[in-house]
Every structure is written in structure tokens, then in C-alpha cells.
């Protein structure tokens, strides 16, 4: 409590002082912070120093405390992130306004300082120079293992240094560019190229070819060169440098790796005399092992552990719910592993003299070491440290066991065997990081071993060949390597793998016949060689693609178009399909890689309806029978989409059979998907199929059983009418649902009860129904080119009349209101009628056979009529002045007035937080999912990210429903149809965990039709599936896996009714949209809003500005200025208004203040900001590739405890085909277009992230994703093919012949053309794999240049001014 009081009161009091008084107080503050008695609280949290620094960081202006003092206090008293915030403000020359006190103190920006960062005309972020602050800040970033922030800080520093020295000698720009390029290379693990860059800079500086470097720059070059040398295992160089420069830490760390134990011992003891450290104790333990003083190891290990734990306590605490908050502790975790292996090494050395009796103990330790390897994505220094020490120990073991080699080879060669195994794994990790030369150097140690197991010989040959594969010049060497071993010592599986690799080399070299023969030989040796089958499939697939391209080129030259491919091409596709299916049968983990391609092949050549299946389809159907059913779960929706597209085709029958297989082991995911499809195709709510139920229901199912019998009779007529066609999609889905009911009748009844109860709970508030509809109409008005001073367009009138008809059911005027004379009597009658209606509705709710959603819709419509019907008709339908000039102005004012009133009511609902569930559905409170043998699982936990068979414990049974329901602001996206307030339910699982879900409800279909909207819920779910596939790729690349980069915009979601989806969202109460954050900030600071003042003076609509008000203000000011000054360009006017609105009505720290209201500490704020920056970078990359719709602030939701970002409309624009073959644009950018802006990076987001995060995290994470997806571009292409194939048809763009000059092109050809356009958009930022250092530099230069240009374009004020105003570019 005292910490909170101090951090709240002191900044407020400090702000009341004059400037002279503030300056005089700075000295005593520094003196207080320097007191020695603070040392007693070093390990306490919070402590006095933390409280003082927290309060100081919230002051405006921040007192000028020396940067070295801040650095020392931050490191000593666990005030890391508070110190970082102060130093960032000092280095930038001002406070960062987006970072406010975690205690909730909100202070305006410093009055005496400039902006926290300057944006140059090209959009780049610059910072003011302060070398001491920069050095201290860089040291803190390094200590926290924040490498990306470190690199971003140095790049900003170099940019500032280059600008300040613009009048210096020529060559400064070149030097800065080379230095920045070196940082780019090093940041993305291109160590050899980075070292060459640093060496070149140092040599040029020594020769005087570039301007003299500052001391800090020279130190940077030297330090980074040494770090590169450490990754490249240049231990001799490091040892010599440490010896000559007297750097004890470097000497101790490198000398023992080259066998200079005497040098290491001397340096370690000198280091210990200076001061104790946990690493020093570890190195002394290494010396003790080498000198066979195993008795000293235990004491040194305990001292190392104690010092390491003390260091652990001085580091920031892990932040709950933020995945990246562990970065600071990773080096200590590695250190503790070294200590454990030190103790185990001492035990092995003790047991080695008696190997016969202690062999099992020695063997157990070495086997544990095999299981204790670092991850392939971890930094190579971790591999070097662990493997170098193990090499030393293996050498000591080999010396001790040398006499037993002849007597007992297994015992005598155990060290050699383990050494060979370790060398292969070490070299494999280095190859994964692209360090081919270093990997070959490590692999060369294999030649020094006297004996090697056969398995390791095989691994070594494969590894050596793979190292030659990326470089075309080395392909003959790789092929020669595979031809050298004697195959008789290998197993059939190993021989098959060698032949497969020969086929890979021959395929790349163009020897197609020989490659085909090698693949055939490989699969003939053993039928279980999955990689051989996959390689053969790739070979056939490449021939198929090449032949299709040749056919397309020939048809283009001849001017003829033939949709049928040559039989030879189909033969290649068939062989490829069979190979893929065999590979999946052998190795099921290959499903994410091969199934998308297999599905595309079979659907791209699927025969037409009512025709016999082709050989390709026959191969797919036959070979897929042997695959497990769980493998098709992630593609369940895709198969249903294929059935809808062509229900009479043979492929639809094949997919129906696969879905039928899922009804046995996985009925619940199939039930939810089928329920959604049946409801959509029927155009009404779900009715259970007429199934004869043999088992008796449980006690809780009695009512539902009666309901089902009634619903069967009542729904039979509609079902028979809609299912008359034997091959209609509805008929197919109903048959599949009947299969689910026949096999799991009791479970299906429980699922029906659950979904109907959830539908009842998710009722739409009357105010939200109108709010969403009117907001959409207002946005449509504001998108008109001239929305002011004109008549109301006819389509807007039609929307308003249609809304009146659908919502109120009144095409004419509503009945007149009662007169005053009979008002009291009519009121009593109305109350009695309302009570009778309520009793009737209660009776209807008890009957589950009636449609729950339809009942509640009637209730809502009655409430809406009573509240708004008359006023709505008078304002929007019976307004005779709408035909007069200027009627659009009055319409906009009325719409804003209604929206402001309805939004206030919506906010009142949000303030209620929670309701009791039994107020809406008593059956949901009583629901138990484990009351029968077929348990009801927590929905949607087994559908996403499914890469292998789900374990049995992953099926979490739904135990009960929390008795309270919550409210959360919906994403009021333009086009998604979501209502203003969503209900939230919490479910308890059998594992004791609680799962939170949001019931996301869209407007009724009839309302959407009148508004010209289309529900995009399945598009959003499809985008989620696409991001899941991308996550699988991101987890396989070292750069993305090391940073923990993955998409969190992947909520588990299932459909419970036609307009309601159950979407998992942990801690839903902590999410809010960017527009909601802005509204809350405007309510808290209404006096800062210029728009608010004008509204009060002229209109008197609301107490503060809203997003709609800012749009109207923008359009009116545009009209007034351009009318008064017609010579001004519209671009200049838009920029002027953008700056005006952003400066007066958008507080730069609004998002930061909102986040601080939820976090508990500055550390949590820092981690949330970093995670949000990473998520925004990922969404920016996907938006770039897809050509996504520019999101509005109402469509961007941020979690202030997790940093997770959810964008509700991350999908492409409307599809179209290119006008000619050279046109690369494949997406229609007319609707909600972002123009030249590739993704959203507005000033508010950029201010929240901060300049260092933008340069360090945002840019580097986009580059990491580019490197990853560039390496797996073929898999990305396959994922996009399935995505576009389903999405284009679902969004009504399947009739592409009306949009293009190529009516003869097939649907799949159109899909392929659109995906080619997407890949073209991302081609500049998805480079291929380069392992040669001389090629990595130009590759990274092009990549980072393209990304920086994109960031510049996205944040340029000139481009932001051209953004659609409805996207709120000022926010």
C-alpha cells in the first residue's frame, strides 16, 4: 500500500513545483538513491529503491539522474524495467508518453521537452543523442537477454549519429549503412557475413577510408566481431585476444576449449580474487575435474548454485500470461544445466576407475545427457558450451578406459560412441542455423575417432551430403559422398535413405531418369521409408507443375484454350498423389506438410458432377482409407466446402466417406460443423434428425427426449422439402448428422441441450441490434465521395426502410401513441398484457422443441417496437425533407444522435459486468457433461494445431457451467455484422481448469440482407485455420522459434446456431478495441477534444467525441476548406486535418494508460508492450501477403494482460482476376482500400510501441517471419491455395467468368492465379535460403530495405492522409 501511495502522491506533488524547485530537488533525490543502507533490501520486492524509481519515472519532467546511477540501481535492486523506461526517456531527450505509472497515475507529456521521438518526412523514427544513456540502456538490454531491443537501439543511435555528423567527411552515410547492415546480419544469425562486415569496417577505419569512428562505434565493432567469433568457434582467436587485452572473462571462457588449461587456471584465480560470480565457480569446477580433484567439485557446485540463485532473484519476475517474459532467465537456466552436468561429470570420473562395477551408472549418466540436449532453435553458443565440455569429459573417459578396449570393446569404447553421437547432433544443430562451414569443422572431428557405431556412420554420411545440398556447385561432391559407403553394413531402411538422397541430388542436377530410378530403388528396399516416398512425390509433383506450365505457355502462344490437361500431366499428378499417401501412411507427422498439397491436387482435377471418377480420384480414395481418421480433423471444414461446391462429383462422395469415419471417434467436432451447415442450408434453425433412439436417456435428458420427438414431427415437412435432391449438400450433411445420432444418441441429445441453451443465453440486446445497423449505415454514408450538402442516395433510403421493415416489422407508420386522457388506463392494460406475454414466453422456453432463438427474437422485436419504432419512423422513414438540398447533413446528425444514445445504453450493460445464468437459462446451470458414458467435451479443444494424434487426456470433459455470465465489447467491425455487446460464459473442465468463451452473435440474416452485408464468420474461422498452419511453419525455423514468434489470433471456435459462435477467449474481460480505448480516454479528458467543443456548441449530441463524430468533423472540414480555398490540393488539406485531429483529440498515451490500468508493475507493462509489438508485426506480414482489408479501430482488440492482438477482419479484399497475364494485382482494392498503405501502423500504435520496439522488435520479427516463410514457401503456397479455394466460393465470388476476359478458365485455375498474386505481393519479403556468406549480405540488404520501405509507407503522414477516413488514420 505504501508503495502505491508513494508512486501516486510524489509525481503529483513534483508536478506542482516550479522549474527551479524541481531542479533544486534533483540533487537530494540523487543523494537519497545513493545511500548505502539500501543494500539491506536488495532481495526484497518491492523495496525502497523500486518505489523511488517508480515515482521518479512518473514525474513530468523526469528528474535528471546520472545514467550510470540508474543503470546500477536497476541491476542491483531488481528495478530493470523502471530503469529502462527512465533511460529510454533520457536517451530520447524526453519522456515516452506512452509509458505511464503502473499505479495508474496519468500525467500529460512533459512541457519542457519535445516529442518522445521525431518522425522524419520519410516516416523514419529518430532519437536525440545521449551517449552515456545509450550505453547504459544497451547494457541493461544485454543483461536482460533482449537482443532485438539491443540491435534496435544501436540502429537508432547510428541513425542519429549519422544525421548529427552530416557535415563531416564524406563516407559517413556508407559507414552507417554498413554498420546497420552488420547489425541486421548478426540479429538474424548470419554470423560469418556479419563478421566479415565488422572486419571490413575496422580495416577501413584503420586505413582512413571512412570518417573516424567514435569511441562507442569502435567498441561496438570490436565487441560484435568477438561475438561472431564465439559463434563461429574461433577459440584460438578469442584466447589470444583475451590474453593480449587482459580480458579475463573472455580468456577463461575460451582457453579451456583449446586445451590451454594453465592459462585458464591463472585467469580464473585472478578473476576470483576480483570478485565472486556464479560463472567463476563453474569454471573452477571445470579445472577441478581436469586435475582430477573431484572432491572439490561438490563445494564449488554449491557455491555456484547459491550465487546463481541470488542472480535469479535479482532478475525480473516472470509475467503471467505473457509467453516471452522468460527471456531474461534463459542464460541462468543454461547455467544451472552446466552445474548439473558438472556434478554428474565428477561422479563419472569417480566411477571410471572401477568400470566393471560402475558401468551401468556411467551408462545411465551418458544416456541422460542424450535426452538433455538444447533445442535446435536455441542460440549456437548454448550448443558450444554444452558440447565442448562433453568433448572434454569424453576425452578423460577414453583415457581411463583405454586398457579395456581389447578386453571389452563395448566398455572401452563407450566414450568414443558417445562422442560420435554428440558430434552428429552438434553438427546438425549448426546446420539448422545455417553455419555450414562451422558444422563441417565440427564434423571433421569424427575422423579422429578410432571406432564409430554403424548408426553414427550412417548419420555422418547423411549429414555430410545434406551440407552440400543447398549449394549447386557442391552437388557433385554430395553425390560422390553418398556413393562411397559400403551398403552391406546398413539396414534396408538406411540403404533406402541413402538412395533417396541420391535421387534428391540427381533431381536437382537435372538427371531425371536416374533420379526416378534412385527413388524407385529406395522404396523397393523397404515400404516404410516415409522420406523416400515423400521425395518421390516431390519429384512427380515437380514434373507435373513443369508440364502444366509448358501446356499453358503453348496455349497462350497458339491462342487456344483447352481446360483438359494432357494425360501425361494427369499421370504425374496421380503418381505424386500415391507417393504422398504412402508417405503419410509411413509417417503421420508429415500430414501438415503433405495433406494440403494432396487435397489441392485431387480437387484441382476433380471430375464434373455425375461423371465417373478419374484415376487421380481413385488413387486418393483408395490410399486415404489407410490413414487414421484424426488426420482429417483440421480439414473437416474444407471437405464440407468441397461438398457444397460440387455435391454430385466423385470427390464429394469421397469426402463424405471420410467425414463419416469421423462420426465414430470424433463425433463432437463433426456435430458442431454439421449443425452449422444444416442451419445455413435450411435457412432456419437446427432440428434433430428423425432417428430411432434405442438407449434410454439419463434423468437430465428426459425433457430433451420429448422435445426431440416433437421437433422431428414438426420439422419433417421442411426437411423433406429441402432434401428432395439425393445429391444436394443438405442431404449429404443430414445423412452425416444421422450417422452421429445413430452412433452417439445420448451424446447428441446433450449437445443439443447445450447448444440451444447457449443460443438462448446469447440473446442480442435491443439497443445493440439498432446500434450495429445504424453504425453500418452511417459508415456507408461517410464513404460516399460527397456525403455533405446533397440529397440522400436511394440506396441509403432503401437501407433505412428495409431496416424499419425487418427490425420493427412496420412498412407503414406505427400506431399512434395513447392520448393523455386514457394514458393511465392504457398503461395498466399494457402491464397486464406484458405479464401475460411473459407467462406465455416462460411456457415456450420450457418447450425445447420450439426454436429458442426465434422465441427470443420475437421478444426483442417487441421491446424494440415499444422503445424506438415511432421515433425511428419519424426520423428516418417519414422525413419529407430528405429530398431537399442538404438533407444528408440532417441524416448524419440524426444517425449520430441515435448512435450516441444507443452506445451509452450499451456502455451501461458493459458496466454490469456479470449476470446470473439462471436469469436466461436454468437448464444451462444444471447442465453436466459427464452424466453419461459419452461425455461432453469442452468445445473446440481438439481442432486447432493438430499435427499428431490427439492424446486421450486432451479430451477435457465439460464438468459444469459457471453460474455467472459476463459482458464484453464486441468488435464493431464494418462488414462482420457483430453486435455491440457479447455474452461470455465460463466452463469448468474435468481437469480442474476453467475455460472462458465469448458468444459472438451476428445480426439476423434478414437485417444483413437489407444492409447489403454478408456474414464473415466462416471467413474469420478459415483465417484462423490458415494462421494455425503458419504457426506450424514458424515453429520449425530457428529464427522464429528462438523468439517464440507465433500467432495468438487463433481462438478456438465452434458454431452453436445460425448466428452464434462460441469462441474461446481467456481473460475476455481484459480485452478492448482500439476504438473503445479511445472512447474511454475521451470521456476521461473531454476538455482536450476540439471536436467535443464544436459538438456542444452546434449540436449538443454527446458529452464527448466519438469515432463517428471525428469522421463527420473530418468530412465537413474538408468540404468547408476546399470550398473556401479551391486552389489547395486535397492531399494537403487531408494532412492538415489529420494533424489537427491527432493533435487535439487523440492523446498520444491513451493506449499506454489503458494498459497500465490493468498491469501490476512496470515489468508487466514492458512485456505486454513487447508481445503486442510482436503480434502487430505478424498481423502486418499476413495483411501484406493477403492484401487484407485495412482494419478499423473497432476491429482491433488488445489484451492488456497478455499483449495478444486480435483483428476481426484479417481476410483479403474481394477477389478478381487480372486483366492480362502481366497484371500482378489479384485483389480488388476498391472496397475499404488502404491505398499505398500495406498495413496499419498509425501514430497511436507506433507511440505505444516506442521507437526502439519499432526498430528492434517490429522490424526484426517481420524479417524473421519473412526468412521462415521464404524457406517454406512451397508449404505456404499450398496453404493459401486451400484458403482461397474455400474463401472465394464462400464469399460469393465463384462466378468469376463475369469478372474476367477468360471465361474458359476453370475455377481452380482462377484460384491458382489469385494465389500467385498473393505470393507475388510477398515475394520481395520472402527471400530464399542462402548459406554462402557472400550472398547473405545482399539478400539481407534487400530484405531489410523492403521492410523498412513498407514501414515507412505505412507510417508516412502523406500516406496516412490518403487512408479511408472510416479507418481513422489519426488513431
Amino acid at each position: 500500500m505504501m508503495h502505491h501511495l508513494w508512486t501516486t502522491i510524489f509525481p503529483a506533488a513534483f508536478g506542482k513545483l516550479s522549474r527551479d524547485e524541481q531542479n533544486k530537488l534533483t540533487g537530494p533525490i540523487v543523494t537519497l538513491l545513493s545511500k548505502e543502507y539500501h543494500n539491506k533490501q536488495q532481495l526484497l520486492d518491492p523495496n525502497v529503491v523500486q518505489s523511488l524509481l517508480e515515482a521518479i519515472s512518473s514525474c513530468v519532467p523526469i528528474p535528471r539522474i546520472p545514467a550510470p546511477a540508474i543503470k546500477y540501481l536497476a541491476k542491483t535492486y531488481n528495478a530493470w524495467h523502471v530503469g529502462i523506461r527512465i533511460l529510454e526517456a533520457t536517451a530520447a531527450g524526453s519522456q515516452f508518453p506512452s509509458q505511464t505509472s503502473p499505479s495508474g497515475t496519468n500525467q500529460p507529456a512533459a512541457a519542457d521537452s519535445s516529442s518522445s521521438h521525431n518522425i522524419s518526412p520519410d516516416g523514419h523514427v529518430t532519437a536525440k543523442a545521449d551517449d552515456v544513456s545509450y550505453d547504459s540502456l544497451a547494457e541493461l538490454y544485454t543483461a536482460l537477454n533482449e537482443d532485438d531491443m539491443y540491435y534496435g537501439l544501436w540502429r537508432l543511435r547510428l541513425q542519429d549519429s549519422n544525421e548529427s555528423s552530416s557535415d563531416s567527411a564524406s563516407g559517413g552515410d556508407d559507414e552507417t549503412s554498413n554498420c546497420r547492415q552488420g547489425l541486421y546480419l548478426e540479429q538474424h544469425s548470419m554470423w560469418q557475413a556479419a563478421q566479415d562486415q565488422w572486419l571490413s569496417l575496422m580495416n577501413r577505419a584503420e586505413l582512413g577510408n571512412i570518417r573516424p569512428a567514435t569511441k562507442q562505434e569502435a567498441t561496438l565493432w570490436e565487441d560484435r566481431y568477438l561475438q561472431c567469433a564465439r559463434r563461429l568457434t574461433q577459440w584460438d582467436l578469442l584466447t589470444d585476444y583475451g590474453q593480449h587485452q587482459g580480458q579475463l572473462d573472455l580468456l577463461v571462457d575460451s582457453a579451456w576449449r583449446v586445451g590451454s588449461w594453465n592459462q585458464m587456471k591463472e585467469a580464473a584465480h585472478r578473476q576470483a580474487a576480483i570478485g565472486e560470480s556464479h560463472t567463476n565457480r563453474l569454471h573452477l569446477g571445470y579445472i577441478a575435474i581436469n586435475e582430477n580433484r573431484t572432491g572439490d567439485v561438490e563445494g564449488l557446485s554449491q557455491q555456484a548454485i547459491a550465487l546463481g540463485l541470488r542472480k535469479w532473484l535479482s532478475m525480473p519476475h516472470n509475467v503471467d500470461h505473457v509467453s516471452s517474459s522468460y527471456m531474461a532467465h534463459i542464460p541462468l537456466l543454461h547455467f544451472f544445466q552446466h552445474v548439473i552436468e558438472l556434478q554428474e561429470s565428477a561422479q563419472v570420473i569417480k566411477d571410471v576407475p572401477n568400470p566393471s562395477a560402475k558401468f551401468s551408472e556411467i551408462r545411465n549418466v551418458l544416456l541422460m545427457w542424450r535426452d538433455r540436449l538444447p533445442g535446435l532453435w536455441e542460440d549456437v553458443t548454448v550448443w558450444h558450451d554444452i558440447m565442448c565440455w562433453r568433448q572434454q569429459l569424453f576425452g578423460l573417459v577414453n583415457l581411463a578406459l583405454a586398457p579395456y578396449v581389447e578386453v571389452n570393446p563395448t566398455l572401452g569404447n563407450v566414450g568414443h560412441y558417445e562422442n560420435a553421437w554428440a558430434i552428429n547432433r552438434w553438427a546438425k544443430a549448426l546446420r539448422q542455423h545455417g553455419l555450414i562451414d562451422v558444422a563441417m569443422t565440427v564434423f571433421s572431428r569424427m575422423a579422429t575417432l578410432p571406432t564409430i557405431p554403424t548408426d553414427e556412420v550412417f548419420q555422418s554420411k547423411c549429414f555430410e551430403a545434406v551440407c552440400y545440398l543447398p549449394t549447386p556447385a557442391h552437388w557433385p561432391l554430395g553425390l560422390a559422398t553418398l556413393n562411397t559407403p559400403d551398403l552391406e553394413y546398413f539396414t534396408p531402411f538406411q540403404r533406402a535413405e541413402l538412395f533417396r538422397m541420391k535421387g534428391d541430388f540427381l533431381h536437382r542436377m537435372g538427371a531425371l531418369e536416374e533420379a526416378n530410378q534412385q527413388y524407385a530403388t529406395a522404396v523397393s528396399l523397404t515400404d516404410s521409408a516415409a522420406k523416400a516416398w515423400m521425395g518421390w512425390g516431390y519429384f512427380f509433383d515437380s514434373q507435373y507443375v513443369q508440364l502444366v506450365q509448358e501446356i499453358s505457355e503453348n496455349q497462350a502462344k497458339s491462342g487456344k484454350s483447352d481446360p483438359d490437361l494432357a494425360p501425361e500431366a494427369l499421370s504425374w499428378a496421380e503418381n505424386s498423389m500415391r507417393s504422398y499417401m504412402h508417405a503419410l501412411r509411413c509417417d503421420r507427422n508429415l500430414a501438415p506438410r503433405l495433406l494440403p498439397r494432396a487435397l489441392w491436387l485431387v480437387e484441382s482435377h476433380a471430375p464434373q458432377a455425375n461423371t465417373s471418377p478419374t484415376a487421380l480420384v481413385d488413387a486418393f480414395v483408395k490410399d486415404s482409407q489407410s490413414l487414421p481418421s484424426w488426420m482429417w480433423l483440421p480439414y473437416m471444414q474444407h471437405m464440407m466446402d468441397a461438398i457444397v461446391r460440387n455435391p454430385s462429383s466423385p470427390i464429394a462422395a469421397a469426402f463424405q466417406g471420410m467425414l463419416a469415419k469421423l462420426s465414430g471417434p470424433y463425433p463432437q467436432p463433426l456435430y458442431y460443423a454439421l449443425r452449422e451447415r444444416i442451419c445455413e442450408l435450411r435457412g432456419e434453425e437446427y432440428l434433430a434428425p428423425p432417428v430411432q433412439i434405442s438407449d434410454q436417456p439419463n434423468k437430465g435428458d428426459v425433457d430433451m427426449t420429448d422435445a426431440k420427438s416433437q421437433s422431428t414431427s414438426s420439422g419433417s415437412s421442411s426437411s423433406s422439402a429441402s432434401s428432395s435432391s439425393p445429391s444436394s449438400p443438405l442431404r449429404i450433411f443430414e445423412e452425416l448428422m444421422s450417422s452421429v445420432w445413430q452412433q452417439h444418441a445420448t451424446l447428441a441429445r446433450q449437445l443439443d441441450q447445450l447448444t440451444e441453451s447457449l443460443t438462448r443465453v446469447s440473446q442480442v440486446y435491443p439497443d445493440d441490434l439498432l446500434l450495429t445497423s445504424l453504425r453500418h449505415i452511417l459508415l456507408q454514408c461517410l464513404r460516399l465521395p460527397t456525403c455533405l450538402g446533397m440529397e440522400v442516395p436511394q440506396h441509403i433510403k432503401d437501407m433505412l426502410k428495409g431496416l424499419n421493415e425487418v427490425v420493427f416489422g412496420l412498412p407503414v407508420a406505427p400506431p399512434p401513441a395513447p392520448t393523455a386522457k386514457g394514458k393511465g388506463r392504457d398503461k395498466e392494460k399494457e402491464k397486464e398484457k406484458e405479464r401475460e406475454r411473459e407467462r406465455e414466453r416462460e411456457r415456450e422456453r420450457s418447450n425445447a422443441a420450439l426454436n429458442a432463438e426465434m422465441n427470443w427474437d420475437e421478444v426483442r422485436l417487441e421491446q424494440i417496437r415499444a422503445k424506438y419504432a415511432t421515433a425511428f419512423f419519424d426520423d428516418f422513414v417519414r422525413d419529407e425533407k430528405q429530398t431537399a438540398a442538404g438533407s444528408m447533413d440532417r441524416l448524419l446528425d440524426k444517425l449520430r444522435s441515435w448512435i450516441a444514445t444507443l452506445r451509452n445504453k450499451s456502455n451501461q450493460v458493459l458496466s454490469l459486468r456479470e449476470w446470473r445464468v439462471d436469469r436466461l437459462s436454468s437448464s444451462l446451470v444444471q447442465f453436466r457433461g459427464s452424466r453419461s458414458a459419452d461425455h461432453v467435451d469442452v468445445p473446440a479443444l481438439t481442432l486447432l494445431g493438430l499435427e499428431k494424434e490427439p492424446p486421450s487426456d486432451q479430451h477435457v470433459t465439460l464438468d459444469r457451467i459457471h453460474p455467472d455470465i459476463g459482458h464484453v465489447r464486441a468488435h464493431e467491425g464494418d462488414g462482420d455484422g457483430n453486435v455491440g455487446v457479447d455474452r461470455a460464459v465460463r466452463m469448468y473442465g474435468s481437469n480442474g481448469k476453467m475455460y472462458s468463451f465469448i458468444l459472438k452473435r451476428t445480426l439476423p440474416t434478414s437485417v444483413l440482407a437489407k444492409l447489403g452485408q454478408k456474414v464473415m464468420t466462416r471467413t474469420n474461422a478459415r483465417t484462423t485455420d490458415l494462421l494455425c498452419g503458419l504457426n506450424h511453419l514458424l515453429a520449425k525455423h530457428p529464427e522464429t522459434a528462438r523468439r517464440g514468434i507465433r500467432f495468438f489470433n487463433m481462438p478456438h471456435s465452434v458454431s452453436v446456431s445460425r448466428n452464434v459462435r462460441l469462441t474461446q477467449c481467456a481473460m475476455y474481460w481484459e480485452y478492448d478495441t482500439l476504438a473503445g480505448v479511445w472512447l474511454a480516454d475521451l470521456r476521461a479528458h473531454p476538455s482536450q477534444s476540439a471536436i467535443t467543443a464544436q459538438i456542444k456548441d452546434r449540436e449538443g449530441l454527446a458529452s464527448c467525441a466519438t469515432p463517428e463524430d471525428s469522421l463527420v468533423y473530418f468530412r465537413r472540414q474538408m468540404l468547408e476548406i476546399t470550398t473556401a480555398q479551391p486552389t489547395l490540393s486535397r492531399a494537403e488539406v487531408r494532412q492538415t486535418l489529420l494533424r489537427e485531429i491527432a493533435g487535439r483529440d487523440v492523446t498520444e498515451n491513451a493506449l499506454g494508460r489503458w494498459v497500465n490500468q490493468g498491469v501490476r508493475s512496470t515489468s508487466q507493462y514492458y512485456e505486454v508492450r513487447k508481445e503486442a509489438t510482436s503480434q502487430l508485426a505478424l498481423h502486418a506480414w499476413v495483411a501484406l501477403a493477403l492484401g487484407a482489408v485495412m482494419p478499423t479501430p473497432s476491429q482491433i482488440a488488445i489484451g492488456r494482460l497478455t499483449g495478444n492482438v486480435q483483428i476481426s477482419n484479417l481476410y483479403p479484399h474481394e477477389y478478381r482476376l487480372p486483366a492480362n497475364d502481366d497484371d500482378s494485382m489479384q485483389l480488388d482494392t476498391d472496397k475499404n482500400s488502404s491505398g499505398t498503405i500495406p498495413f496499419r501502423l498509425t501514430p497511436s500504435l507506433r507511440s505505444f510501441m516506442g521507437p526502439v520496439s519499432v526498430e528492434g522488435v517490429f522490424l526484426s520479427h517481420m524479417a524473421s517471419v519473412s526468412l521462415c516463410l521464404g524457406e517454406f514457401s512451397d508449404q505456404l503456397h499450398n496453404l493459401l491455395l486451400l484458403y482461397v479455394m474455400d474463401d472465394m466460393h464462400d464469399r460469393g465470388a465463384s462466378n468469376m467468368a463475369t469478372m474476367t476476359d477468360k471465361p474458359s478458365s476453370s475455377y481452380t485455375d482462377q484460384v491458382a492465379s489469385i494465389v500467385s498474386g498473393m505470393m507475388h505481393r510477398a515475394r520481395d519479403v520472402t527471400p530464399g535460403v542462402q548459406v554462402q556468406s557472400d550472398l547473405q549480405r545482399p539478400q539481407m540488404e534487400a530484405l531489410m530495405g523492403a521492410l523498412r520501405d513498407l514501414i515507412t509507407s505505412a507510417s508516412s503522414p502523406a500516406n496516412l492522409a490518403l487512408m479511408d477516413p472510416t479507418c481513422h488514420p489519426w488513431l
Side-chain angles (χ1 to χ4, degrees), residues 209 328 332 726 797 807 994 1017 1243:
N209 295 332
L332 285 174
K797 295 179 182 179
V807 176
M994 183 178 69
T1017 53

Side-chain angles (χ1 to χ4, degrees), residues 1033-1045 1261 1264-1265 1268:
L1033 302 180
L1034 295 175
K1036 297 193 300 182
H1037 196 274
E1039 287 302 301
T1040 51
R1042 177 169 59 89
R1043 292 177 170 86
I1045 298 176
H1261 283 210
S1264 299
V1265 174
C1268 171

Side-chain angles (χ1 to χ4, degrees), residues 292-583:
N292 202 17
R293 294 185 289 106
T294 56
D296 299 341
V297 173
E298 184 62 28
L300 293 172
S301 299
Q302 295 300 325
Q303 295 176 22
I305 292 174
L307 293 172
L309 290 176
R310 186 178 181 87
K311 180 69 173 177
W312 182 280
L313 293 176
S314 69
M315 303 303 291
H317 301 300
N318 289 338
V319 178
D320 295 337
H321 316 300
V322 180
S323 60
S324 60
S325 62
Y326 58 86
M327 297 297 294
H329 297 85
I330 288 180
L332 285 174
L333 292 174
H334 294 152
F335 164 77
F336 289 130
Q337 178 178 353
H338 296 325
V339 175
I340 292 174
E341 295 198 358
L342 176 65
Q343 295 173 330
E344 293 170 345
S345 299
Q347 186 62 40
V348 169
I349 295 300
K350 290 180 182 178
D351 295 340
V352 162
N354 188 13
S356 300
K358 297 291 185 177
F359 179 72
S360 60
E361 287 82 353
I362 297 174
R363 186 64 178 167
N364 289 336
V365 170
L366 298 181
L367 289 177
M368 279 194 300
W369 283 11
R370 289 192 175 193
D371 297 331
R372 202 188 291 149
L373 286 177
L376 290 175
W377 62 87
E378 295 197 59
D379 192 88
V380 291
T381 56
V382 180
W383 282 88
H384 293 334
D385 294 342
I386 291 177
M387 289 302 183
C388 284
W389 172 247
R390 291 184 181 182
Q391 295 275 307
Q392 296 290 335
L393 182 69
F394 293 152
L396 297 176
V397 171
N398 290 332
L399 290 176
L401 297 180
Y404 296 89
V405 173
E406 299 294 335
V407 180
N408 188 349
T410 303
L411 174 61
N413 292 315
V414 63
H416 297 301
Y417 295 161
E418 294 300 322
N419 202 355
W421 186 90
I423 288 173
N424 276 329
R425 273 63 190 178
W426 188 7
K428 178 181 178 181
L430 293 173
R431 181 181 60 82
Q432 290 283 345
H433 285 266
L435 300 175
I436 302 297
D437 294 337
V438 182
M440 294 297 291
T441 302
V442 170
F443 177 73
S444 64
R445 304 183 185 187
M446 192 76 73
T448 63
L449 301 180
T451 179
I452 305 175
T454 304
D455 290 342
E456 300 309 321
V457 173
F458 166 73
Q459 292 289 342
S460 65
K461 290 299 179 183
C462 292
F463 166 77
E464 187 177 0
V466 170
C467 288
Y468 292 130
L469 197 58
T471 308
H474 294 166
W475 288 344
L477 294 176
L479 189 60
T481 301
L482 294 172
N483 290 326
T484 54
D486 192 349
L487 300 181
E488 64 176 309
Y489 295 104
F490 297 133
T491 63
F493 183 86
Q494 292 172 342
R495 291 199 295 269
E497 185 67 12
L498 292 175
F499 279 109
R500 191 269 305 176
M501 297 185 70
K502 291 181 183 179
D504 291 343
F505 277 100
L506 291 170
H507 183 199
R508 284 167 172 77
M509 296 170 66
L512 302 182
E513 292 295 336
E514 294 83 349
N516 190 21
Q517 184 62 38
Q518 296 296 324
Y519 287 127
T521 304
V523 297
S524 66
L525 292 172
T526 175
D527 191 51
S528 60
K531 289 186 178 180
W533 283 111
M534 183 175 64
W536 208 6
Y538 284 158
F539 171 78
F540 291 134
D541 206 344
S542 65
Q543 301 307 304
Y544 159 75
V545 172
Q546 182 178 356
L547 186 56
V548 169
Q549 291 178 351
E550 292 177 357
I551 294 175
S552 300
E553 293 175 358
N554 294 333
Q555 291 179 355
K557 292 179 180 179
S558 61
K560 299 180 181 180
S561 179
D562 185 5
D564 297 329
L565 289 179
E568 184 180 358
L570 293 177
S571 176
W572 288 118
E574 178 187 352
N575 292 335
S576 176
M577 172 67 66
R578 292 186 181 276
S579 300
Y580 289 154
M581 292 293 106
H582 279 288

Side-chain angles (χ1 to χ4, degrees), residues 698-716:
N698 293 323
K699 181 178 180 180
D701 298 328
V702 174
D703 295 339
M704 292 304 302
T705 306
D706 296 338
K708 291 306 164 191
S709 62
Q710 297 178 21
S711 65
T712 300
S713 60
S714 63
S716 59

Side-chain angles (χ1 to χ4, degrees), residues 51 232 257 259 282 330 339 519 626 1248 1304:
S51 300
L232 299 174
R257 304 174 195 260
L282 177 66
I330 288 180
V339 175
Y519 287 127
S626 59
F1248 170 66
S1304 61

Side-chain angles (χ1 to χ4, degrees), residues 235-285:
W235 307 118
D236 291 323
L237 183 150
L238 294 172
T239 302
D240 294 341
Y241 183 87
Q243 179 71 23
H244 289 92
Q245 297 295 326
Q247 295 189 11
L248 298 180
D249 293 342
L250 184 60
L251 182 60
V252 170
D253 186 59
S254 57
W256 64 274
R257 304 174 195 260
V258 294
S260 300
W261 288 97
N262 292 331
Q263 278 185 306
M264 176 191 179
K265 182 177 180 180
E266 179 184 355
H269 286 294
R270 290 170 56 192
Q271 192 181 46
I274 297 174
E276 291 185 343
S277 66
H278 57 288
T279 55
N280 177 258
R281 299 292 110 178
L282 177 66
H283 290 141
L284 291 177

Side-chain angles (χ1 to χ4, degrees), residues 12 21 84 108 173 242 246 280 471 526 536 552 572 673 679 732 783 870 932 1031 1035-1036 1092 1097 1125 1173 1186 1270:
E21 291 172 333
I84 285 175
D173 291 342
N280 177 258
T471 308
T526 175
W536 208 6
S552 300
W572 288 118
C679 291
I732 295 174
R783 285 201 178 108
T870 302
S932 65
N1031 270 351
K1036 297 193 300 182
T1092 300
D1097 294 340
Q1125 303 179 25
T1173 303
L1186 295 181

